[in-house]
Amino acid sequence: MNDINQNVNGGSVFRVDKFVVPAAAREEILTKVRTTHELLRLQQGFVQDFLLEQFSGPGEFNLVTIVEWESQAAVDNVVPIVKAAHERIAFNPQETIARLGVRADIANYQRVPG
């Protein structure tokens, strides 16, 4: 598997965050996700984003976010910006996820050629 900071095919990078969110945590998580995505949309290299909520089917992840970036360089540039913004508002994503009993699966993806 490729290192998380490599996009061997070049082009778009997709950040996909999948969450198992307990009902009691839904509103807080959605608020935090929306706030973060408002910031992401303002960054250079941002292409598009999606906030998806499961409404049927057997899957375990009930909340999924997808952000498309035009390149790995754009992803690399936005990481410290988001981190600093979170620090300014005293938001620690890992602490929040643990406190609310949320399970997360977070990774960067690229298109499969062909």
Side-chain angles (χ1 to χ4, degrees):
M1 178 132 347
N2 295 324
D3 180 85
I4 196 163
N5 289 324
Q6 293 199 0
N7 180 1
V8 297
N9 297 324
S12 291
V13 173
F14 298 85
R15 167 68 180 252
V16 180
D17 297 357
K18 299 178 287 190
F19 302 99
V20 177
V21 180
R26 181 181 179 275
E27 289 307 314
E28 183 173 347
I29 290 295
L30 284 174
T31 297
K32 300 297 188 189
V33 167
R34 287 180 175 129
T35 299
T36 299
H37 279 242
E38 287 172 10
L39 173 65
L40 297 178
R41 290 181 194 117
L42 300 174
Q43 303 310 307
Q44 186 171 359
F46 172 88
V47 176
Q48 63 181 335
D49 66 332
F50 299 94
L51 172 55
L52 308 170
E53 187 169 32
Q54 180 185 18
F55 69 93
S56 70
E60 68 175 322
F61 297 104
N62 57 341
L63 188 67
V64 177
T65 66
I66 302 171
V67 179
E68 180 180 2
W69 297 97
E70 63 186 27
S71 66
Q72 184 61 49
V75 173
D76 294 341
N77 289 337
V78 79
V79 168
I81 293 168
V82 171
K83 184 177 180 181
H86 285 169
E87 288 173 358
R88 279 193 300 278
I89 62 171
F91 171 51
N92 181 321
Q94 292 78 19
E95 182 279 328
T96 301
I97 285 170
R99 176 176 52 81
L100 295 174
V102 172
R103 280 195 311 112
D105 178 40
I106 297 171
N108 290 343
Y109 293 80
Q110 61 190 10
R111 286 192 173 99
V112 175

